[in-house]
Amino acid sequence: MTDTRRRVKVYTLNEDRQWDDRGTGHVSSGYVERLKGMSLLVRAESDGESGSLLLESKINPNTAYQKQQDTLIVWSEAENYDLALSFQEKAGCDEIWEKICQVQGKDPSVDITQELVDESEEERFDDMSSPGLELPPCELGRLEELAELVASSLPSPLRREKLALAVENEGYIRKLLELFRQCEDLENADGLHHLYEIVKGIFLLNRTALFEVMFSEECIMDVIGCLEHDPVLGAAPRRHRDFLTKTARFKEVIPIGDPELRAKIHQTYRVQYIQDMVLPTPSVFEENMLSTLHSFIFFNKVEIVGMLQDDEKFLTDLFAQLTDEATDDDKRYELVNFLKEFCAFSQTLQPQNREAFFKTLSNMGILPALEVVLGMDDVQVRGAATDIFSYLVEYNPSMVREFVMQESQQNDDDILLINLIIEHMICDTDPELGGAVQLMGLLRTLVDPENMLATANKTEKTEFLSFFYKHCMHILSAPLLANTTDDKLSKDDFQTSQLLALILELLTFCVEHHTYHIKNYIINKDVLRRVLVLTASQHAFLALCALRFMRRIIGLKDEFYNRYIIRNFLFEPVVKAFLNNGARYNLMNSAIIEMFEYVRVEDVKSLTAHIVENYWKALEDVNYVQTFKGLKLRYEQQRERQDNPKLDSMRSILRNHRFRRDARTLDDDEEMWFNADEDELEDGEAVVPPSDNKTTKSSAGAGENEDLMDPISKFMERKKLKDSDEKEVLGKSSSLSGRQSPSFKLSFSGSTTKTSLSSPPPSASLHPGSPGSPGSPGSGAKGSPPTAVATKGGLVGLVDYPDDDEEDEEDVSGESKEETPPLSKKSKLSS
């Protein structure tokens, strides 16, 4: 099926009243058994003769079909579902239109077959049985009568159709425009007001044939003139024609040789102006009656982009002048603005057409041209170039990434396109940093791994991120590093703080998505220490950005990051910020507490030990949340497990006895004991009564159970004592003193008092009652007598159920999954 006459594009109208391209194919008509009638069939051209169906639509005898602009057929399949076929050639459109009219019994000379609306049968009968609508003579004295006729016809679709046919067949529009010129010469205000109502009503007839007359070169300015005389404005009409002829100037930055293209551009601009500025804001009812006007503009834009895209000489001249050093600044500004508007028009294209459009621009050298323009001093030119760059990045970031990686092989870092973007972001002179925000969004898109491609031979993510961290990251982080030297802020004004917040936002995104690239950069450049200097900023938003950056790092639960934080005591500025914030209940307070709470809940052992050993005295008096006392409890549990290694094997002993299956067969009572429901055990009821328990045990397992009961008894004793110990810790945590680092002192500029923390050196003997000491209630001394736990029903069999692991870790000092390495001691902290 290679006949270009039948080549069409299929469009559907979306919820935003924009046309969506559903694909290109070839249209035919034929009887479809499944639909029980003649139908329109469009098969995708890329799939050949047996291609997939883009459209299968039955020609319904009651459906209203419209032919527009000689190459369009538009109809509605259902409520709010409009379809359009755009033909490559007029002959193909005429052939399909004849088929539609043949099915519906209509004359192919009409441009619309019929319209369906809900009307009373009486009105429908009257309208269909009555002859065609007769218009009054086009005279000054009959304008009021004509205006009333138009207004009365609009509510009825059939009457609108008859009115449209009458206006079209009698050449009435040109006659009305002649009367308009007479009324203006005579300054006939009433006549002008009537003409305004008439022309506005003709727009609402929603008919392409009428639009083609009204928007023709000889008529369009008079149509705009009619719409200047709104009766609401009285004797002060608007001056739309003056604007279009005197203020709005069409500049051909590159001469357009095709007169049809030039005329199409003029027409589209003026019709768009009518829609946006001249016509009054339509009501909900009128909005649906202007769908043909929207379609007219849409298809005009598609046609303009296609004609320009196909004109290779035009585009070649455009890019040649854009990059020519001899081009003066004013001319270059016009060229960039034209290219920006050209790209804006391309947004009306559908994805496959837009891809071809940007591919054409790429082949013409748009990215090298933008690189030249972005390096210029003119702010307006750079702004327009930035808008063009945003179109490219948003549609095809991979194309931009490929270009910047290729140019890095020939150019220095300073003149790379992506580094120019970073520099413009950093140097934005706008107090609100509007341009910087836009550029940061583009950089984020470029470094987002989610839109990077992966092939069998290479991974775009690996290649581009390696390039970015080698050639670009030092420029992006330069303001941050320059402003935080000597662990203090150099500048803390609002604009600088906004810029640093933008940079931090991008770095935080990198922490979440770039894994080892950003990890190496942060650790090697000590970036987190510099970022935490910003917690002392007078601008809360910047301090919160710094906290968010650290929180994202901790949230990764990466031990490389944790060791880096511990080694450099990077919780110190966080604790300072917390204490300087005082008792104020604000975002700063909540953000810091949430960070510590995350460490506690996730049981990040290395950070827990570091925080308690170095900052406990500064935080122990915080009682309005249990976060810090909970951290201390976690720490005590960790130390206790380290000091009592025998407890580490307790759960494994219980598991071995619980899950081991010997050659012997379990008797019924033992089966009950092992298979008992957890709820029964927790209710305190014995699964096996004590008397039965002694008599039903087999002799083969007696010795083994006796060996097992000794550690179990100790285990239960420790649980009872530990429960009481937990309450004591939560009630008065300051009475417990664990092994801590050597003496140091914390002082804070924002506090009225100084807090100091001192503790004995590691070689000193432990105080009685401290965790791990022989006299501690939680030490589980060997001399403690075994204790049996009695319940209502007797002795409870102890089983280490897998579901209880998490509870045991919190309440009974369960098995630790990893040992905490010895930590370096810090001798002194100061502000």
Side-chain angles (χ1 to χ4, degrees):
M1 192 179 295
T2 58
D3 188 359
T4 58
R5 291 183 306 166
R6 297 290 186 93
R7 189 167 184 263
V8 297
K9 283 186 178 294
V10 180
Y11 291 93
T12 59
L13 195 66
N14 62 27
E15 294 178 353
D16 298 325
R17 310 298 297 172
Q18 299 294 323
W19 288 101
D20 292 335
D21 188 345
R22 295 304 182 188
T24 303
H26 292 84
V27 63
S28 63
S29 61
Y31 187 84
V32 176
E33 180 66 28
R34 181 175 61 83
L35 299 178
K36 303 296 184 185
M38 292 293 292
S39 304
L40 297 177
L41 305 173
V42 180
R43 294 189 180 275
E45 64 177 355
S46 58
D47 298 329
E49 290 286 344
S50 60
S52 59
L53 273 176
L54 295 177
L55 176 69
E56 185 180 60
S57 173
K58 180 180 177 181
I59 302 175
N60 194 312
N62 298 320
T63 297
Y65 292 85
Q66 294 183 53
K67 187 169 74 166
Q68 302 176 6
Q69 301 182 30
D70 293 331
T71 56
L72 283 173
I73 297 177
V74 183
W75 73 98
S76 297
E77 288 261 314
E79 187 177 357
N80 298 325
Y81 186 67
D82 293 347
L83 289 163
L85 294 179
S86 176
F87 289 78
Q88 181 171 327
E89 297 184 13
K90 178 179 183 296
C93 182
D94 292 340
E95 288 179 9
I96 296 300
W97 183 250
E98 288 179 6
K99 293 286 186 183
I100 294 172
C101 292
Q102 181 181 351
V103 173
Q104 293 198 340
K106 301 292 181 180
D107 185 349
S109 63
V110 302
D111 286 338
I112 183 169
T113 58
Q114 57 191 301
E115 288 194 47
L116 289 179
V117 287
D118 293 328
E119 296 180 284
S120 68
E121 291 297 324
E122 182 179 356
E123 180 184 358
R124 183 184 298 273
F125 178 78
D126 290 343
D127 283 339
M128 295 184 68
S129 60
S130 64
L133 196 65
E134 184 176 350
L135 297 175
C138 194
E139 302 172 355
L140 286 177
R142 308 294 291 272
L143 285 177
E144 182 176 1
E145 180 184 348
L146 180 59
E148 292 176 355
L149 176 63
V150 170
S152 64
S153 298
L154 290 176
S156 168
L158 290 176
R159 288 179 63 81
R160 283 206 310 271
E161 173 63 18
K162 291 182 178 181
L163 176 62
L165 287 173
V167 171
E168 180 182 350
N169 294 336
E170 296 182 22
Y172 217 78
I173 291 177
R174 285 184 169 83
K175 296 177 183 178
L176 287 172
L177 296 179
E178 179 62 34
L179 284 182
F180 165 72
R181 289 189 285 272
Q182 293 180 25
C183 288
E184 275 208 317
D185 292 340
L186 298 173
E187 296 183 357
N188 185 341
D190 290 340
L192 292 172
H193 291 163
H194 292 318
L195 282 167
Y196 170 88
E197 299 292 350
I198 294 168
V199 172
K200 177 187 171 185
I202 292 175
F203 268 95
L204 296 178
L205 294 177
N206 207 26
R207 192 175 181 86
T208 304
L210 298 180
F211 286 159
E212 289 175 351
V213 176
M214 296 167 73
F215 299 152
S216 63
E217 182 69 26
E218 63 271 18
C219 294
I220 190 168
M221 297 306 290
D222 286 337
V223 169
I224 294 173
C226 290
L227 294 173
E228 289 179 347
H229 296 275
D230 187 346
V232 176
L233 300 176
R238 300 192 184 279
R239 301 294 179 186
H240 297 300
R241 286 172 294 173
D242 288 348
F243 173 82
L244 291 173
T245 55
K246 298 177 183 178
T247 305
R249 296 287 184 179
F250 177 68
K251 295 182 180 180
E252 290 188 51
V253 291
I254 301 292
I256 298 175
D258 186 350
E260 183 183 354
L261 173 59
R262 189 186 301 110
K264 186 71 68 175
I265 292 173
H266 283 300
Q267 183 190 59
T268 304
Y269 175 78
R270 291 166 179 169
V271 176
Q272 185 81 60
Y273 183 83
I274 289 173
Q275 183 190 43
D276 295 340
M277 303 298 298
V278 181
L279 285 175
T281 303
S283 65
V284 176
F285 169 71
E286 294 173 340
E287 177 69 27
N288 294 329
M289 298 172 68
L290 291 172
S291 59
T292 305
L293 181 61
H294 297 310
S295 301
F296 188 95
I297 296 170
F298 172 82
F299 289 113
N300 265 18
K301 288 181 177 180
V302 171
E303 195 172 346
I304 289 170
V305 172
M307 294 171 76
L308 286 174
Q309 187 178 336
D310 293 339
D311 191 340
E312 291 187 8
K313 183 180 183 304
F314 179 86
L315 292 177
T316 302
D317 292 345
L318 171 66
F319 286 106
Q321 292 190 35
L322 195 60
T323 55
D324 188 355
E325 294 182 0
T327 304
D328 62 70
D329 292 345
D330 291 340
K331 179 71 171 179
R332 199 185 311 276
Y333 178 61
E334 292 174 357
L335 291 167
V336 173
N337 274 337
F338 171 80
L339 189 56
K340 173 185 172 182
E341 190 170 356
F342 191 27
C343 291
F345 263 46
S346 74
Q347 300 307 295
T348 62
L349 300 176
Q350 296 308 306
Q352 60 268 38
N353 296 331
R354 196 153 64 241
E355 183 177 0
F357 171 79
F358 283 117
K359 188 173 182 180
T360 300
L361 293 186
S362 177
N363 294 336
M364 289 289 176
I366 188 170
L367 285 169
L370 285 179
E371 192 170 30
V372 172
V373 174
L374 285 169
M376 297 179 176
D377 295 331
D378 192 312
V379 176
Q380 289 183 316
V381 171
R382 288 207 315 261
T386 300
D387 291 337
I388 298 170
F389 184 70
S390 69
Y391 286 123
L392 297 172
V393 171
E394 289 168 9
Y395 187 73
N396 195 345
S398 292
M399 178 181 73
V400 178
R401 285 191 286 259
E402 183 179 359
F403 171 78
V404 297
M405 284 191 290
Q406 288 177 353
E407 70 165 348
S408 66
Q409 300 172 6
Q410 293 120 11
N411 298 334
D412 296 333
D413 288 355
D414 292 342
I415 60 174
L416 295 180
L417 176 60
I418 191 170
N419 285 342
L420 287 175
I421 296 297
I422 295 174
E423 288 174 9
H424 290 327
M425 182 186 84
I426 293 172
C427 301
D428 188 6
T429 56
D430 179 7
E432 298 297 326
L433 295 185
V437 172
Q438 179 189 12
L439 293 173
M440 193 277 290
L442 298 178
L443 287 172
R444 179 169 176 159
T445 301
L446 287 175
V447 301
D448 187 356
E450 295 296 324
N451 60 48
M452 295 183 185
L453 304 176
T455 63
N457 299 325
K458 64 175 184 177
T459 303
E460 185 182 16
K461 175 181 176 181
T462 301
E463 291 187 358
F464 181 75
L465 292 184
S466 298
F467 158 82
F468 182 79
Y469 280 87
K470 180 179 180 181
H471 298 280
C472 310
M473 182 56 88
H474 64 284
I475 296 177
L476 177 64
S477 59
L480 171 66
L481 300 179
N483 206 45
T484 54
T485 55
D486 301 326
D487 288 345
K488 63 180 180 180
L489 273 169
S490 301
K491 293 177 66 178
D492 198 21
D493 58 277
F494 179 73
Q495 188 167 353
T496 302
S497 298
Q498 273 195 312
L499 175 61
L500 293 178
L502 283 177
I503 294 173
L504 271 181
E505 184 178 342
L506 191 55
L507 290 178
T508 303
F509 178 83
C510 294
V511 167
E512 292 178 305
H513 295 86
H514 290 178
T515 59
Y516 67 90
H517 289 93
I518 187 68
K519 185 195 304 181
N520 291 338
Y521 188 80
I522 289 173
I523 294 176
N524 292 335
K525 300 294 184 182
D526 200 12
V527 173
L528 181 55
R529 174 184 292 280
R530 297 296 193 90
V531 169
L532 290 174
V533 172
L534 304 178
T535 57
S537 171
Q538 64 176 331
H539 301 287
F541 67 86
L542 180 58
L544 289 168
C545 283
L547 287 173
R548 189 182 305 118
F549 181 74
M550 184 175 185
R551 174 65 177 80
R552 292 292 184 274
I553 290 176
I554 293 174
L556 296 175
K557 294 193 283 191
D558 187 320
E559 279 304 310
F560 283 98
Y561 277 129
N562 293 346
R563 286 195 291 271
Y564 163 66
I565 291 170
I566 292 168
R567 183 172 63 251
N568 294 281
F569 293 89
L570 296 182
F571 271 103
E572 177 183 344
V574 177
V575 174
K576 282 185 178 181
F578 181 69
L579 297 179
N580 285 337
N581 189 63
R584 284 175 291 179
Y585 179 52
N586 52 20
L587 278 175
M588 176 73 73
N589 175 277
S590 298
I592 295 175
I593 289 176
E594 191 278 333
M595 184 187 297
F596 285 109
E597 180 69 11
Y598 178 84
V599 173
R600 184 193 71 81
V601 170
E602 295 297 323
D603 194 17
V604 185
K605 294 179 174 56
S606 56
L607 295 184
T608 299
H610 173 71
I611 293 167
V612 173
E613 290 179 354
N614 292 280
Y615 310 108
W616 169 245
K617 281 295 182 183
L619 302 170
E620 64 177 338
D621 293 332
V622 179
N623 296 317
Y624 53 87
V625 291
Q626 296 301 310
T627 297
F628 301 108
K629 289 181 172 56
L631 276 172
K632 181 66 180 296
L633 178 59
R634 288 276 195 196
Y635 173 73
E636 297 292 348
Q637 291 173 349
Q638 291 177 29
R639 298 307 298 264
E640 200 167 328
R641 286 195 289 270
Q642 293 175 20
D643 293 341
N644 296 273
K646 283 190 68 176
L647 289 176
D648 293 343
S649 60
M650 177 60 65
R651 191 170 286 132
S652 62
I653 292 173
L654 293 174
R655 256 193 213 101
N656 288 339
H657 285 282
R658 162 65 178 84
F659 292 108
R660 189 177 64 188
R661 292 293 179 264
D662 294 336
R664 69 184 181 90
T665 304
L666 298 178
D667 60 32
D668 293 340
D669 291 332
E670 286 176 307
E671 285 272 71
M672 289 177 62
W673 188 81
F674 280 112
N675 296 326
D677 187 75
E678 274 188 289
D679 295 335
E680 295 175 354
L681 295 179
E682 291 174 356
D683 289 341
E685 296 177 4
V687 177
V688 182
S691 58
D692 292 342
N693 192 32
K694 293 177 183 178
T695 58
T696 57
K697 298 293 181 183
S698 66
S699 58
E704 184 176 279
N705 287 337
E706 287 176 2
D707 294 337
L708 174 63
M709 287 308 295
D710 180 57
I712 289 176
S713 299
K714 294 179 180 179
F715 184 84
M716 290 304 300
E717 178 192 13
R718 288 188 49 74
K719 176 171 175 59
K720 289 177 62 181
L721 295 175
K722 190 61 186 173
D723 287 343
S724 62
D725 187 41
E726 267 187 44
K727 295 177 181 177
E728 184 180 351
V729 170
L730 291 173
K732 190 176 180 181
S733 176
S734 60
S735 64
L736 296 173
S737 57
R739 295 176 183 172
Q740 296 166 339
S741 59
S743 303
F744 67 89
K745 180 169 64 178
L746 274 168
S747 61
F748 303 97
S749 58
S751 305
T752 56
T753 61
K754 293 185 178 180
T755 307
S756 63
L757 168 62
S758 61
S759 63
S763 60
S765 61
L766 293 169
H767 295 294
S770 64
S773 64
S776 169
S779 64
K782 289 185 178 181
S784 303
T787 305
V789 181
T791 65
K792 295 177 182 178
L795 186 65
V796 177
L798 295 179
V799 182
D800 185 18
Y801 287 94
D803 294 339
D804 294 337
D805 287 353
E806 184 177 349
E807 183 180 346
D808 290 344
E809 283 187 14
E810 293 190 9
D811 298 335
V812 198
S813 301
E815 179 182 354
S816 174
K817 292 184 179 179
E818 65 178 0
E819 295 293 329
T820 304
L823 302 175
S824 60
K825 308 298 187 294
K826 181 163 183 171
S827 58
K828 185 174 181 179
L829 282 170
S830 62
S831 61

